[in-house]
Amino acid sequence: MIYRPSSHNIKNAAHIIGLGEVVAFPTETVYGLGADAFNEQAVQKIFGLKGRPSYNPLIVHLAETDQIEEVAWFQRGSKVHETLKKLYRFWPGPLSVVLPRHPLVPDCVTGGLNTVAVRIPAHPVARDFLKACNTPIAAPSANKSSYISPTTAEHVYEEFGEKVAIIIDGGKCEVGLESTVISIVNDVPVILRPGYITREQLEDALGEVKQVSYTVPSRPESPGMLSKHYAPKTKVVLKKNIDPGNLPKKIGFISFGPAGSGEPDIPLTVRDNLSSSGDLEEVAENLYDALRKQDKMGLDLIVVDTCDKTGLGAAIMDRLTRACAD
Ligand code: AMP
Ligand code: MG
């Protein structure tokens, strides 16, 4: 059921976490499906509900930076610690940092890796919930594996119905795309997944930062890099890749704006415009809702606009490229 984020409901949700159950909660990026990171059976329930492969690790969500050492393992003053401190400026916020893992973190959380991804989200409801839980919360996005991430409580309900007993409603997610994932376990930090916190911002904080490429093997370093992910059931194609000689009947178009601009010269059944001013922040915020909407319309094809792969555009094009993958 969907619950409003009253302090009573948040307390109740935290109590349910203590009993080893899962709770869906809002963050500024997308909705998460959370369980006590130290309770293996509870974490396994997340994998079961999502149909997520066991090798794909979960991000551990914390209320405060002083909880990091409960789940990560590094020496004070070490290079990892110094780099981590330079990233504090992005927290609370949409950044997940991959660190060496604490031995007490269960294998199922990290997919058997010797690292753990950690995030301190900024959404006030997420923070209240995490504080009330008083334990690190392992949480992937609250959707079936490889489908589009949810950006409203209703999206989560569409995915799981009553199988998730508590969905805390925090309204529409402001960022709308999954967090940036950066690994700082090696010499040069690597962006494993682009997001709202851009490469440019990370380089400003850390100096040189590498970015993994879009084409990746089927079991890569960060399983979120799988080429087919974040995808509707309907076939998706980027506008620049339309094959005019081979058009199906019912086609939807998702444009970045302004309305009517950049429309491909093909018959369209439906159009959605994500931002009347072409603002990429607005495009990111509205993208998944539009993809979900068009995916429910029985279309043969969804055509999406494109933008430059700089700044936030890198994350938008990363998700769209993977939504298009076969
Ligand atoms: P989700 O929460 O569904 O957006 O998925 C979490 C993302 O973080 C996936 O892309 C994971 O592969 C990635 N991730 C989580 N833990 C690690 C880790 N220890 N090393 C690398 N990537 C990770
Ligand atoms: Mg996900």
Side-chain angles (χ1 to χ4, degrees):
M1 205 172 124
I2 297 177
Y3 289 87
R4 64 189 180 84
S6 65
S7 59
H8 173 268
N9 289 343
I10 288 174
K11 239 192 234 159
N12 191 36
H15 179 69
I16 293 287
I17 289 285
L19 297 176
E21 291 303 324
V22 300
V23 167
F25 64 100
T27 79
E28 68 278 20
T29 57
V30 301
Y31 275 70
L33 193 59
D36 177 354
F38 289 122
N39 182 336
E40 206 163 336
Q41 279 179 335
V43 172
Q44 290 296 0
K45 289 180 187 168
I46 296 176
F47 283 89
L49 282 162
K50 281 183 61 89
R52 185 174 177 106
S54 61
Y55 60 79
N56 195 354
L58 309 181
I59 293 169
V60 177
H61 293 71
L62 307 172
E64 305 289 347
T65 51
D66 58 17
Q67 290 176 288
I68 292 174
E69 281 162 287
E70 290 175 37
V71 294
W73 186 262
F74 50 82
Q75 301 282 324
R76 297 256 165 128
S78 63
K79 184 157 184 247
V80 165
H81 188 207
E82 293 307 313
T83 308
L84 176 65
K85 282 192 286 185
K86 290 183 193 154
L87 293 174
Y88 280 4
R89 68 169 86 164
F90 301 110
W91 276 343
L95 180 71
S96 300
V97 182
V98 174
L99 294 163
R101 143 211 197 166
H102 193 291
L104 287 182
V105 177
D107 267 348
C108 58
V109 170
T110 66
L113 298 172
N114 57 9
T115 53
V116 62
V118 171
R119 169 163 171 230
I120 300 173
H123 195 297
V125 176
R127 289 181 65 75
D128 287 348
F129 170 64
L130 291 168
K131 272 183 215 152
C133 289
N134 202 24
T135 182
I137 296 294
S141 53
N143 54 279
K144 300 271 169 58
S145 189
S146 86
Y147 195 62
I148 309 160
S149 295
T151 53
T152 65
E154 289 73 24
H155 290 166
V156 181
Y157 192 81
E158 273 172 30
E159 295 272 338
F160 299 112
E162 296 298 328
K163 284 189 188 143
V164 173
I166 298 186
I167 302 168
I168 309 173
D169 191 351
K172 188 174 167 193
C173 301
E174 268 185 21
V175 172
L177 293 180
E178 303 77 2
S179 61
T180 306
V181 180
I182 185 169
S183 168
I184 60 167
V185 297
N186 295 317
D187 256 3
V188 181
V190 186
I191 297 172
L192 300 176
R193 178 172 72 183
Y196 186 82
I197 305 295
T198 63
R199 180 179 191 168
E200 293 81 350
Q201 286 174 287
L202 291 165
E203 283 184 330
D204 194 43
L206 302 179
E208 188 195 359
V209 170
K210 283 197 268 192
Q211 162 91 65
V212 291
S213 73
Y214 294 116
T215 32
V216 288
S218 60
R219 197 175 162 166
E221 187 183 348
S222 180
M225 300 191 305
L226 290 170
S227 52
K228 172 98 179 163
H229 211 81
Y230 315 107
K233 297 186 178 73
T234 314
K235 190 173 167 42
V236 185
V237 68
L238 297 180
K239 188 173 83 174
K240 61 178 183 164
N241 296 337
I242 296 173
D243 176 2
N246 187 20
L247 289 173
K249 251 192 177 155
K250 286 186 281 174
I251 304 176
F253 178 55
I254 297 178
S255 80
F256 293 175
S261 74
E263 214 168 85
D265 192 15
I266 56 175
L268 296 172
T269 306
V270 56
R271 326 162 150 73
D272 280 294
N273 178 252
L274 302 183
S275 166
S276 53
S277 58
D279 171 24
L280 290 188
E281 301 223 355
E282 229 180 321
V283 168
E285 183 179 345
N286 295 322
L287 178 64
Y288 287 164
D289 189 57
L291 280 171
R292 277 178 179 265
K293 180 193 145 202
Q294 292 206 1
D295 200 25
K296 284 190 284 197
M297 296 182 72
L299 300 168
D300 304 307
L301 184 69
I302 300 172
V303 177
V304 283
D305 225 337
T306 51
C307 60
D308 283 345
K309 289 182 190 170
T310 51
L312 183 54
I316 293 169
M317 290 315 297
D318 167 75
R319 303 306 188 277
L320 287 178
T321 306
R322 289 191 274 172
C324 293
D326 288 321

